[in-house]
Amino acid sequence: MAVPSDLIVSVSGIRGIVGAGLTAEAATRFAAAYGSTVAGNRVIVSNDGRPSGEMLRHAVTAGLLSAGCKVEDLGIAPTPTCGFAVRQLNAAGAIQITASHNPAPWNGLKMFGSDGAVLPAAAGAVIRGLYESGDFTRAAWNGIGTVGVPPDVGADHVQAVLDTVSVAAVAGQRFRVFLDANGGAGGPLGVKMLTDFGCEVIAHGCEATGVFAHEPEPIPAHLVDVAPWVKQHECAIGFVLDPDSDRLALIDENGDCVSEEATLALAVKYRLRQQPGTIAINMSTSRMNQDVAAAAGCPCVRSAVGEANVVALMRETGAVLGGEGNGGVIDPRIGWVRDPFVGMAFILSLMAEEHKPFSQLVAELPRYAMLKTKFTVSRERLPDAIAALEARWPEATINRDDGLRLDGPDWWLHVRGSNTEPVVRVIAETPDPERTAQLCREAGSVVTG
């Protein structure tokens, strides 16, 4: 069976428009393929609250049961809670039903291994092969799996996060905090954790209805109506979650959106005060993290783009914290998934320690301007384009682990070919916005030349 052209298959799962590429049949088949790799064992299933999640949850459950799996149904739960539950319940893995920050018509399946991390590429490729071939494990009538409902893993997840910081230090500040979950899965858990911190919570869209009040990707352009409420409610900070709650965006006390790149940098700053160690980030994440780590006398290492790649490097280097510049923070003490609850806890703790307005903490981070662009380049020309870029900046440090990354004294350039379309993604960062734009233009002219 060929994968539908409008069904996106990545190293960690599938994603598509519900009723088009992503159907109940496709979800059942993919779950059966996944179940065939863990046949007879316990598998966690949860969803992010989108209305289509109910249908897909039944489809996924059917596929897993057909392979003899014991399904533990969390219901609506954040993606990091799903990953946390795998280890907490000693499961063989999990399927989270989510399309992350995609618009409402989309949904998908995100798969986890027995360690609670998203599946690496090799394991994902095995499942895709089974999906295409239909060579599934099929349980006999008396070997079909079962469905159960586990205890409240969400409360354990929150407690695990609280145990990493001083709750009393944060509670003593009596912060008023704005939380926008936009109808996503993380609203109830976010309100609970912030309340446990002794914060007064101004909650917006914190019921997990799956109905979005604004575009789901938590970037400044989508928060124009939301951001001013932070100042209007006289909050010390605003937190914004994406639908499955694996990304954290920030708004300062003046109602100004903060670059999502700052989320991880602030978490790094706090974590290295707790315990010096290695920080792991991906190739396209801001140099702020590298500078913050260096100021603490700690190394910062980079992986290929992708959560699974960051996690692999964290394990390899024994990193104390990792993440990606999209607002994702990974603390191995909690789990191997981007976790905004960790991000919120660390940032509130930093505010409590520093006794400074949040905007000042942001202003004290290293200042960089990042720009993400893309150019049409055929796959055949890509090797020549990469070679031309290396020749254009011969003084730069070269890294070829994920496309090409060039590092200068205070700038970097990351160029990656798309796996799905004839484009090259060019990301640059320097201290000056115009210089960054010029760097992208130069790189674009080289790769298209």
Side-chain angles (χ1 to χ4, degrees):
M1 173 185 174
V3 176
S5 60
D6 45 1
L7 184 66
I8 299 171
V9 182
S10 71
V11 296
S12 59
I14 59 174
R15 194 178 296 189
I17 295 176
V18 175
L22 184 58
T23 61
E25 294 86 350
T28 301
R29 188 178 178 94
F30 218 92
Y34 177 85
S36 297
T37 66
V38 294
N41 290 306
R42 179 180 288 120
V43 176
I44 309 297
V45 174
S46 56
N47 56 285
D48 72 4
R50 294 167 189 258
S52 59
E54 180 74 8
M55 176 269 288
L56 291 170
R57 184 163 53 84
H58 287 289
V60 165
T61 299
L64 292 172
L65 295 180
S66 74
C69 296
K70 300 176 180 68
V71 174
E72 296 286 354
D73 186 356
L74 294 188
I76 296 174
T79 290
T81 302
C82 179
F84 178 87
V86 172
R87 297 203 292 188
Q88 188 80 351
L89 300 174
N90 195 29
I95 296 179
Q96 170 79 341
I97 300 164
T98 179
S100 188
H101 58 272
N102 281 78
W106 291 73
N107 217 324
L109 310 183
K110 188 172 187 176
M111 297 175 291
F112 297 81
S114 60
D115 55 359
V118 296
L119 286 183
V126 169
I127 292 167
R128 177 172 180 165
L130 291 171
Y131 170 80
E132 293 174 346
S133 69
D135 187 19
F136 309 142
T137 297
R138 293 296 192 188
W141 69 272
N142 58 351
I144 291 172
T146 59
V147 180
V149 178
D152 183 9
V153 181
D156 292 337
H157 180 194
V158 165
Q159 189 58 53
V161 174
L162 295 176
D163 287 345
T164 65
V165 297
S166 170
V167 175
V170 175
Q173 300 301 305
R174 300 184 181 276
F175 290 125
R176 178 181 291 176
V177 176
F178 180 84
L179 176 64
D180 173 28
N182 197 24
L189 215 60
V191 170
K192 172 178 171 46
M193 190 189 78
L194 292 172
T195 301
D196 288 349
F197 263 125
C199 297
E200 179 185 349
V201 184
I202 306 299
H204 176 69
C206 287
E207 294 181 3
T209 61
V211 178
F212 306 143
H214 56 78
E215 290 296 320
E217 187 173 13
I219 58 175
H222 298 160
L223 303 177
V224 173
D225 294 331
V226 172
W229 295 340
V230 177
K231 182 177 182 179
Q232 290 170 14
H233 288 286
E234 299 181 336
C235 294
I237 189 172
F239 295 124
V240 184
L241 306 175
D242 71 333
D244 69 322
S245 295
D246 65 354
R247 293 173 58 169
L248 175 64
L250 307 170
I251 303 170
D252 72 18
E253 75 279 5
N254 300 312
D256 294 325
C257 290
V258 176
S259 167
E260 59 187 359
E261 295 286 337
T263 300
L264 180 57
L266 291 165
V268 166
K269 185 174 183 178
Y270 177 77
R271 181 69 182 105
L272 293 181
R273 288 184 181 180
Q274 288 186 318
Q275 180 185 350
T278 300
I279 299 300
I281 59 179
N282 74 28
M283 294 285 179
S284 293
T285 295
S286 176
R287 194 168 180 155
M288 283 191 289
N289 300 280
Q290 189 174 324
D291 290 357
V292 169
C298 296
C300 180
V301 293
R302 292 183 182 269
S303 75
V305 171
E307 183 177 336
N309 296 318
V310 174
V311 167
L313 187 59
M314 289 178 69
R315 286 178 164 143
E316 179 185 329
T317 60
V320 297
L321 198 74
E324 299 184 288
N326 56 12
V329 180
I330 304 171
D331 186 334
R333 296 173 299 175
I334 308 301
W336 296 110
V337 183
R338 295 188 306 248
D339 192 328
F341 307 104
V342 170
M344 287 190 280
F346 285 7
I347 290 169
L348 287 172
S349 298
L350 190 63
M351 292 169 63
E353 282 189 6
E354 297 266 340
H355 299 286
K356 296 174 181 176
F358 178 61
S359 60
Q360 185 175 344
L361 292 179
V362 174
E364 290 174 355
L365 288 172
R367 306 290 286 184
Y368 289 102
M370 182 185 290
L371 182 62
K372 301 179 181 182
T373 59
K374 63 181 181 180
F375 301 90
T376 301
V377 178
S378 67
R379 194 177 302 276
E380 295 74 24
R381 171 165 166 69
L382 191 54
D384 290 340
I386 294 296
L389 285 168
E390 292 181 15
R392 171 64 183 80
W393 287 281
E395 76 283 4
T397 301
I398 297 172
N399 185 313
R400 301 187 184 89
D401 290 344
D402 184 11
L404 176 69
R405 181 180 161 106
L406 301 174
D407 273 273
D410 64 349
W411 62 270
W412 58 265
L413 180 71
H414 188 203
V415 181
R416 303 171 66 232
S418 169
N419 293 323
T420 58
E421 53 185 331
V423 301
V424 166
R425 304 187 191 283
V426 176
I427 303 175
E429 188 177 57
T430 78
D432 176 66
E434 178 49 41
R435 188 176 162 206
T436 301
Q438 178 61 28
L439 190 57
C440 282
R441 285 194 294 268
E442 288 186 43
S445 66
V446 170
V447 299
T448 59

